Amino acid sequence: MLFHVRMDVQLPPAMPVAQADELKKNERELAQSLQRSGKWRHLWRIAGQYANFSVFDVNSVDELHALLTSLPLFPYMKIEINPMCRHPSSVRDTDA
Amino acid sequence: MLFHVRMDVQLPPAMPVAQADELKKNERELAQSLQRSGKWRHLWRIAGQYANFSVFDVNSVDELHALLTSLPLFPYMKIEINPMCRHPSSVRDTDA
Amino acid sequence: MLFHVRMDVQLPPAMPVAQADELKKNERELAQSLQRSGKWRHLWRIAGQYANFSVFDVNSVDELHALLTSLPLFPYMKIEINPMCRHPSSVRDTDA
Amino acid sequence: MLFHVRMDVQLPPAMPVAQADELKKNERELAQSLQRSGKWRHLWRIAGQYANFSVFDVNSVDELHALLTSLPLFPYMKIEINPMCRHPSSVRDTDA
Amino acid sequence: MLFHVRMDVQLPPAMPVAQADELKKNERELAQSLQRSGKWRHLWRIAGQYANFSVFDVNSVDELHALLTSLPLFPYMKIEINPMCRHPSSVRDTDA
Amino acid sequence: MLFHVRMDVQLPPAMPVAQADELKKNERELAQSLQRSGKWRHLWRIAGQYANFSVFDVNSVDELHALLTSLPLFPYMKIEINPMCRHPSSVRDTDA
Amino acid sequence: MLFHVRMDVQLPPAMPVAQADELKKNERELAQSLQRSGKWRHLWRIAGQYANFSVFDVNSVDELHALLTSLPLFPYMKIEINPMCRHPSSVRDTDA
Amino acid sequence: MLFHVRMDVQLPPAMPVAQADELKKNERELAQSLQRSGKWRHLWRIAGQYANFSVFDVNSVDELHALLTSLPLFPYMKIEINPMCRHPSSVRDTDA
Amino acid sequence: MLFHVRMDVQLPPAMPVAQADELKKNERELAQSLQRSGKWRHLWRIAGQYANFSVFDVNSVDELHALLTSLPLFPYMKIEINPMCRHPSSVRDTDA
Amino acid sequence: MLFHVRMDVQLPPAMPVAQADELKKNERELAQSLQRSGKWRHLWRIAGQYANFSVFDVNSVDELHALLTSLPLFPYMKIEINPMCRHPSSVRDTDA
C-alpha cells in the first residue's frame, strides 16, 4: 500500500553541530536500512530545499506511522501524507 | 533529470460526455506511450482525487514543458512542478 | 484501517431539481449500505455546511478510492483525506 | 451534543524531557478518564503528526471549553473546533 | 448556548431580479421572526460587504443547523461558525 | 459606532507566571471598567481558544485605537477589526 | 474619520460592452462628485490591476457603508476596509 | 512616482526598553524629515495594529529602496509595496 | 527602472477558437514590438503553466500600467508586480 | 537550462554582527564569481525586501541544487524555484 510523503526538515539554529551531525548520521542509516527492506520505496531530494519526496510501501497506516515517528529527525520535520493507489493509465508493474 | 509533477484535472461540468471520454482515451494512450519511452517514469493516482503524482525523466525543461502541454487534458489541469535530484541517502540506483 | 475524510458538496446552481434529488437519493442509499457493511464507520453532518466528517474502515487505499469514487455525488465533492491510527491514549476498542 | 476537535501539539524545543514526560503522563490519565466518562467519545492519532482527531459529547459549549482548557497540554496546542449534528443519512444510533 | 456566525452572501449574477427580491424579502421576514423569538440574538451588517456577523442562542447544535439551513438565502451563503462561552471578564449578564 | 474585534492572545512561553498573572489581572480590571462605561459593549470567549470576540461602541476610530492600545495584553495580541453598521433586517434597537 | 479601502473590480466576461460602459460612466461621475465633496479623499489606481486604493473621510461607519453600496460597480467589487487614525509621527495636518 | 507601502513592525520581545525607545525616536525623526521633504507623502496608523499605510513619492525604485532600508526599524518590519498611478477618475491634482 | 511581472493567462473555456487565436496573434505582435523597443526587457515561459515571468524597463509606473493594460490578453490575466533595483552584488551592467 | 529562483533571507536576530558581516562578504564573493561564470545569469534586489529574484543557467537540476546549497546564506534562506523555458514570443536570443 503506497503513501506519498513530503518531509521538510528544520533544525533549531541553536543546535550544536555535533548533535546535528549525529542526528543526520543516524537518520541516514535508518533511511538506507528502510530502503533496502523495501518499505521506503523512493527517496528524492527536492531541489533547493532541505526536504524530500518519498514513497512508502507499507501494510497498514499503523506501520507507516511507526516508521515515520522512529526517524531521528522526526521531531524537527513537517510531514505531509497523501495515500496513493495504482493509476488506471499506469503501465509499470512496480508502481502498484 | 527528474521533475516531480502534481496534476489536478477539472473538466467543465457542461462538457458533453462523449467529448470527455474522447479526451480521456487520448490522454491515456499518450500517457502510456510516454511511460513506455521512459520519459514519464512514475504515475500514481492520489486517493479520492481526480489528480496524480508523477515523476518525469527528461533532458531539459523545454522537453518537460513540451510533454506536459501536449497532453489532451492539459487545458483542464492545474500543474505544480518541483525539480528533484538524487538524495544523498538514497540507495536505489534507479532513483537517480 | 482507518481514514478520516471530509467531503464538501457543491452542486452546480443550474442543475435541475429533479436531477439533484435523484443524485441525493442514490447517494443516501449507497451511504447507508456502506455504513451497514461497516466500511463507512462514522458519518456526521458539519453544522451549517453542506459537508460531512466521515471515518472509513477499509482494507487498503485502493478500496477507499473505489468507495469514494463510486459515490453519486463524487463529481461535485471536494475531498480531504487523513490516514489515522490508534491513539496511544485511547481506551475504546472500537476506535482501532 | 457533538463537537469535532483537531488538536496539534507543539512542545517548545527547550522543554526539559522530564517536564514533557510529566505533562504527557498527566494528559494521558485525564484523556482516559474523560473517555471512560463518555465525554471524550472518540480519539484517533493522525498518521505522521503529533496531532489527533477527537469527538466530544458534551451538554454545552461551556462544558467543552472547560474540558479542553483543563488538559495539561492545552497551553501547547493549536485547537480547531467544528460543531456537528446527526447526518440525515446516518444509520448508526451511536453517532447521534 | 451561544454561537458566533459569519454569513457571506453571493447571489449568482444571472439570477432574475424578481427572484432575488423574493428571496431577500423571505429572508428578512424569517430573520426578524427569529430575532423576536430570541434565537437570533444579534445581527450586524459588516461594512462594505454583503455579509453579516450574528450571534445565535440555541439549545443544541442540531437547532442551530436547522435554523441556518431554513434560511432562504442559505444555498447562496458561505457560513463560518465559532462556538462561544461566557468570558471570565464579562460583566454583562445578557452575554451569557 | 460599532466595531467588531477579534483578539488572539499569545504570551511568550518564557514569561514568568507572576508577570503573566499581573498582566491578566490588570487586563480584567480595565476590560470590566470599559464594559461598565458602555465602550466595550460585548465580550465573549471563543471556545477552545485564548481569544475573544468583542463589540466596541466608540465615537471615532481614534478612540477605538486608544482603547485597544491601552490594554495591558495589547503587545501580545493579534487583532482583527471589522467596522459594522445596523443591519437592515435588525429588529433590536440596542444593536444600532 | 478615515478609512482605507481597496476595491478590486471583476466584471462578468459575458456582460455586454454597452452595459459595462454605462456602469463605468456612472461610477466615474459618482466617484468625482464624492471626491469634490471631500468624502472620497484619495483615489489611486493600483498599477497593472483593475483595482484602486482609496481613503474615505466620513462621519460614521454607516455613512461609509452607504457610500460604498451606492457605487454602480459595487455588485462587482471585492472590498477590503481598514480603519485608520492619525499617525503619531505624522507632520501633515491634512492626514488627520 | 507613487508607491503604496504597508509596514508591519514586530520588535523582538527580548529587546530592552531603552533600545526600543531609541529606535522609535530615531524612526520618528527620520519619518518626519522625509515627510517634510515631500518624499514620504502620506503616513497613517492602521487602527489596532503596530502598522502603517504610507504613500511615497520618489523618482525611482532605487530611491524608494534606499529610503525604506534607511529606516531604523527596517530590520523589524514586514513591508508590502504596490506601485500606483493616477486614477482616470481622480479629480485631485495632488494625487498624481 | 525595472519591474518584475508575473502574468497568468486564463481564457474563458467558452471563447471560440478563432477569437482566441486572434487575441494570441495580436498579443505576440505587441509583445515582440515591446521587446524590440527595450521596454519589455525579458520574457520567459514558466514551465507547465500558461504564464510568464517578465522584466519591464520603463520610465515610470504610469508607463508600466499603460503597457500592461494595452496587452490584448490583459482582461484575461492575473498580474503580480514587484519593483526591483540593482543588487549590490550584481556584476552585470545590463541588470541595472 | 533556466531556473527562476526567489531567495528571501532571514538572519537570526541574535546573530553577532561580525558573523553576519562575514557571511554576507562570503556570499557576495561567491555570487559574483558565479555570475562571472555565467551560471548565475541575473540577480536583482526586490525593492523593500531582503530578497532577490535570480535566473540560473545550469546543465542539470543537480548542478542547481549544488550551487544553491553552497551559498553561505543558504541555511537562512527561504527558496522558491520555477523551471523556465524559452517563450514562443521571445525575440531575445540571450533569453533561451
Side-chain angles (χ1 to χ4, degrees), chain A residues 8-55:
Chain A
D8 287 81
V9 184
Q10 175 93 52
L11 295 181
M15 181 183 283
V17 173
Q19 185 186 351
D21 287 348
E22 180 76 8
L23 274 172
K24 290 176 191 171
K25 180 172 153 290
N26 293 343
E27 178 83 13
R28 166 187 283 244
E29 282 168 13
L30 183 48
Q32 294 187 333
S33 157
L34 287 169
Q35 285 174 83
R36 287 198 193 92
S37 77
K39 292 297 178 188
W40 195 328
R41 197 189 276 197
H42 296 288
L43 170 60
W44 295 284
R45 169 67 73 217
I46 305 176
Q49 314 293 334
Y50 191 2
N52 69 67
F53 282 127
S54 292
V55 175

Side-chain angles (χ1 to χ4, degrees), chain C residues 76-92:
Chain C
Y76 310 104
M77 284 177 176
K78 194 165 68 71
I79 289 182
E80 188 187 327
I81 300 178
N82 278 285
M84 298 198 298
C85 41
R86 185 170 183 78
H87 195 285
S89 299
S90 172
V91 300
R92 192 176 149 125

Side-chain angles (χ1 to χ4, degrees), chain J residues 2-3 9 21 24 29 34 38 43 61 67 75 77 86 88 94:
Chain J
L2 301 180
F3 291 87
V9 184
D21 287 348
K24 290 176 192 171
E29 282 168 14
L34 287 169
L43 170 60
V61 173
L67 290 185
M77 283 176 175
R86 186 169 182 78
T94 53

Side-chain angles (χ1 to χ4, degrees), chain J residues 14-24:
Chain J
M15 181 183 282
V17 172
Q19 184 185 352
D21 287 348
E22 179 75 8
L23 274 171
K24 290 176 192 171

